[in-house]
Each structure stands twice: as structure tokens, then as C-alpha cells.
Amino acid sequence: MTHSDQPTPLQSRASGPLTGKVQVPGDKSISHRALILGALAVGETRISGLLEGEDVLNTAKSMQALGATVERTGNFAWSVRGVGVGGFAEPKAALDFGNSGTGCRLVMGAVAGCPISAIFDGDASLRSRPMRRILDPLEKMGAKVVAGGEGGRLPLTVQGARDPLPITYKTPVASAQIKSAVLLAGLAAPGTTTVIESEASRDHTELMLKHFGADIMSVQEGQHGRRITLVGQPELHGATVVVPADPSSAAFPIVAALIVEGSDVVLSDVMTNPLRTGLFTTLREMGASIEESEVRGDAGEPMAQLRVRASKLRGVEVPPERAPSMIDEYLVLAVAASFAEGTTIMRGLQELRVKESDRLEATAAMLRVNGVKVEVSGDDLIVEGRGHVPGGGRVATHMDHRIAMSALVMGCASDQPVTVDDTAFIATSFPDFIPMMRSLGAEFS
């Protein structure tokens, strides 16, 4: 189970200044990839700072089911002994990814390059989400979908390729999940697998593949795109991975500190990969005080300490080409925009419609029910900021952890409390969100 059978509502109300130093959980994207590549490597991979939320733990269980040895060795510390590229064993039962689209789609890619069958399943939310655009390139590589729901929905059975084919594939949208699935399948193919993106998506898979010993190259393609080439059938070696703090999780205390008067919050070791920091760029354009210090890096991923102080924000226009670098952060950006002075226009958000919920409509509904003027125009979100939010609404989360956290952040500074209908799903990505926010001074009850 990925949530309790009984909803767990929560109310957030205006608090005094938020203060303190915290470290948000390890990055979810890096955690998934460290487990999967550790399982495809030869030897031991040691991971520290792993996000121990339900999504990542389901990926760990799937790696065990596919034949890798996966053990927790301490707090956020894990060891993986891999089976080598193409070495997955056929699992005895369905692989259950709960609420995690990332884990499910990446493992589909890894399984597609192995001569095994595996059943992929998840919770009601994940079963409703489209998989066809992941399956299309994998089928070109020789994998087959032998059973599945309408439109390639879960539960479905993937028969991996006995002799996977290298392909050149142009992604239809900027999606790290599509790119990563193709690259993970391409590990087992002879020759060179190429992925072409017209808009660059987050590059964690490329950086980590290199860290594990793969021969991979990424070059600019056009104005905003990338061409990634991977030489197949490498022997990946076990590696040490330090997982930086997740910028998508850091987004919530950052926005809370910006909108609650007098706040001064420090966050440690936050990933600052430029393909993940569109939110920080946008907030600074809005007038946010976000200072970086103690910059360092691991496995190709930069990280820094961030100091965030309450700021008067102004409306801005966010260009569509920034969407891939902040796709998960638009929900909480919409909260910041609600407290800004003036109009904020967020363009090109079509990808939000195929997340845990239709996040575009769910975000607009969250704002409207709390007295914010908002419009969805095509794939654009337009928020009329008035410097304050009336609040007083009850937010429907639609089983979506980011809607729940964004609404709780809104309540930290709204005129009236904000109620969230169910907070159980927060555990999928940020199990300690509520106690951490309370430790900074947030009032949740």
C-alpha cells in the first residue's frame, strides 16, 4: 500500500517567522537512478543520502525482485550488489511501483534490454497515467508489450528483447523519463543508441551513467536541445554515490520562507544542477533573496547551501523553454505568484497534465478555492497576485503529494487557514515534510 485507507486531512494557518537550518530529503531522481544503475553494475554500489520515501523504496524492492542484492546499511545509507548489464532475472511477482511514474518508467527501460518478462503495476493514480510514449521507443528496440490496459496503462507485461537493437530516437516532448528509458535499454544493445531532444531535459541519467563507467556523450543540438549518444554493452562498475538534497523538495520550505514575513531559513546541500534550478532562477527574477554558499559536487551533480529570507515578490512571465528545468515546481511557484504583486504567466505547461494528477487544473483549483484569481489558457497558467491570499479553502489533493505540500505552504501566510483533504501521499516523496516544517515554526494542525 502507498497510503492509508483513511484520508488524513490537515490545516495550515499563518505563523510567525520561519527560522532554522534543515536538510531536505535526498533527490528522488538521483535516488532512483543510483539504485537502478547499481543493480546493472558489477560489484558493490554504496549510496548515502538516499531518499527513503515510498517511491524510491518501491524501486529498491523492484531491483531485489530482478536479482540484485539491495540492503539498508544505516540511516539513508544503502548497498547494492548488481547483476551486470542485461543480467536481470525474471521476477516471480508483479513489480509494484505504488505512486511512482519515474521508478516505473525507468525500470521499464532497464527491463526492455533483458530477455525476461515482467509485470508492471502501481496504485490507482499510477494505473491512470499514460505509458505509451515510453513503450513506443522500447518496442522499436525489440521489447514487446504482451498484456496491458487501454493506451498502454498499467498493469502491463513487458517482454524484454533477447537481442536489443540500438536506435536513434527523437523524443516527442522534453522528458527525462523517455530519454532515460531509451538509454537504459540501450545499455544492453550493441552499437550506439542515440537520443535527440529539441528541448534539453534534466541530465541526471547521463551524468550517472558516466559515473558508473559508461561511454556516453552529450552535445548541443539546435538552440535548446541535446544529442546524447551511448555506446552499448559496457561493463558498469559499482560506484559510491552521495545523493544531494532534492531541489523539488527544497522548493516547499523555500517558498514558505519567502512568503512568511521575517523568515530566515538555511537549507543544506541542495542540488544546483542548472537543468533542475528553473524555480530558483524564476524566484530570483520575482525578487527573492536566495543566497548560495559552500558549493561542492559529487557524481557530476553540483550542490550548495541556500539561505532564503522573506522577500516582496513581483509577477513575472516564465518562458516555456524553462519548463523542463522546473516541471515539478510550478505548483509551489503558483503559490509564490499568489503572494506576489502583479500577474505571473507560466507558459508551456502541457507536461503537468500527465503527472500524478492533471496538475495544471488541480493547481488552478487550489488557488481558486482560496480566493486567488487564476486562469488556465491552453497550456499556460496565469495567476493574478495581490500580495496576499484570502485562504479559507479546502483543497482536493487528487492523491498528489505536491498539491498537498503546496497547499500547506500557502496556508503558512494566508489570511485564513487552508485545509488539505488528505496528506497521506506526502510520504511518497517527503516523509518528514510535516515535522520539518513544524520545526521551522509552521503551524499545521
Side-chain angles (χ1 to χ4, degrees):
M1 297 293 288
T2 58
H3 65 288
S4 62
D5 292 329
Q6 294 298 318
T8 52
L10 197 66
Q11 190 175 79
S12 173
R13 63 183 67 247
S15 68
L18 304 180
T19 57
K21 182 175 182 177
V22 292
Q23 181 153 4
V24 301
D27 182 76
K28 186 158 64 163
S29 297
I30 300 297
S31 295
H32 283 303
R33 287 161 173 81
L35 289 167
I36 294 167
L37 288 177
L40 290 170
V42 173
E44 184 183 16
T45 291
R46 291 187 172 273
I47 308 168
S48 60
L50 188 90
L51 170 63
E52 294 178 347
E54 290 175 1
D55 283 4
V56 172
L57 296 181
N58 284 329
T59 294
K61 289 174 188 171
S62 75
M63 294 302 99
Q64 288 176 312
L66 290 162
T69 302
V70 183
E71 297 175 327
R72 188 176 190 266
T73 58
N75 286 338
F76 316 111
W78 290 68
S79 167
V80 183
R81 290 193 176 274
V83 296
V85 169
F88 281 159
E90 190 157 307
K92 294 181 173 62
L95 303 176
D96 184 353
F97 290 91
N99 195 238
S100 177
T102 299
C104 181
R105 291 170 178 144
L106 267 57
V107 176
M108 277 182 185
V111 164
C114 301
I116 62 170
S117 287
I119 300 168
F120 290 77
D121 204 355
D123 66 11
S125 170
L126 190 57
R127 283 185 171 195
S128 72
R129 294 159 68 184
M131 298 292 165
R132 178 38 59 192
R133 64 188 189 183
I134 298 289
L135 299 171
D136 285 345
L138 298 182
E139 288 178 335
K140 292 179 189 297
M141 302 178 83
K144 293 187 173 98
V145 179
V146 295
E150 184 182 349
R153 284 175 166 75
L154 304 185
L156 58 80
T157 302
V158 173
Q159 171 67 58
R162 187 161 297 281
D163 297 300
L165 302 170
I167 62 171
T168 295
Y169 188 72
K170 186 167 186 176
T171 59
V173 294
S175 168
Q177 293 178 359
I178 300 174
K179 170 178 65 179
S180 299
V182 173
L183 292 174
L184 289 169
L187 284 171
T192 301
T193 294
T194 302
V195 179
I196 301 168
E197 299 183 297
S198 54
E199 295 278 346
S201 66
R202 53 183 65 174
D203 61 353
H204 306 311
T205 299
E206 299 95 300
L207 292 172
M208 195 168 289
L209 277 166
K210 188 171 287 188
H211 186 61
F212 276 81
D215 183 354
I216 186 168
M217 185 169 64
S218 177
V219 297
Q220 189 165 338
E221 177 89 0
Q223 189 172 0
H224 301 294
R226 306 293 293 173
R227 174 184 287 263
I228 303 103
T229 53
L230 171 72
V231 178
Q233 300 181 333
E235 181 170 297
L236 303 181
H237 52 75
T240 298
V241 179
V242 177
V243 180
D246 188 345
S248 297
S249 295
F252 300 100
I254 285 172
V255 170
L258 291 172
I259 64 177
V260 176
E261 189 173 348
S263 295
D264 190 343
V265 170
V266 174
L267 297 100
S268 304
D269 295 337
V270 178
M271 180 198 288
T272 53
N273 182 315
L275 291 171
R276 288 289 298 282
T277 54
L279 176 71
F280 304 162
T281 299
T282 303
L283 290 172
R284 286 177 173 129
E285 289 173 356
M286 296 173 76
S289 174
I290 304 173
E291 298 174 4
E292 291 185 15
S293 62
E294 299 181 22
V295 178
R296 61 192 185 92
D298 183 84
E301 297 288 355
M303 61 187 88
Q305 178 173 279
L306 303 182
R307 183 180 183 185
V308 185
R309 285 176 277 196
S311 306
K312 290 196 178 303
L313 304 177
R314 58 184 175 272
V316 296
E317 182 167 337
V318 189
E321 58 267 21
R322 197 174 291 169
S325 69
M326 57 181 295
I327 196 63
D328 288 327
E329 287 80 70
Y330 280 106
L331 293 76
V332 77
L333 174 62
V335 171
S338 302
F339 287 91
E341 292 284 356
T343 302
T344 295
I345 304 172
M346 297 164 244
R347 298 202 182 277
L349 309 190
Q350 61 270 20
E351 191 69 10
L352 288 185
R353 296 192 184 277
V354 292
K355 291 287 187 175
E356 282 82 338
S357 62
D358 181 340
R359 282 184 170 165
L360 194 52
E361 292 297 341
T363 300
M366 171 183 70
L367 301 186
R368 283 192 195 105
V369 77
N370 285 289
V372 178
K373 188 176 179 185
V374 58
E375 178 186 351
V376 176
S377 176
D379 294 320
D380 300 342
L381 186 67
I382 303 166
V383 179
E384 302 285 349
R386 294 183 292 174
H388 74 101
V389 169
R394 183 179 179 88
V395 174
T397 56
H398 305 285
M399 301 163 63
D400 192 323
H401 52 127
R402 297 195 193 280
I403 291 286
M405 289 186 282
S406 298
L408 291 172
V409 167
M410 176 180 280
C412 289
S414 56
D415 300 343
Q416 298 295 320
V418 172
T419 302
V420 172
D421 70 350
D422 191 2
T423 57
F425 286 89
I426 291 173
T428 65
S429 67
F430 200 158
D432 294 327
F433 171 75
I434 291 168
M436 188 209 73
M437 290 297 295
R438 284 175 171 152
S439 77
L440 294 172
E443 295 194 13
F444 298 161
S445 60

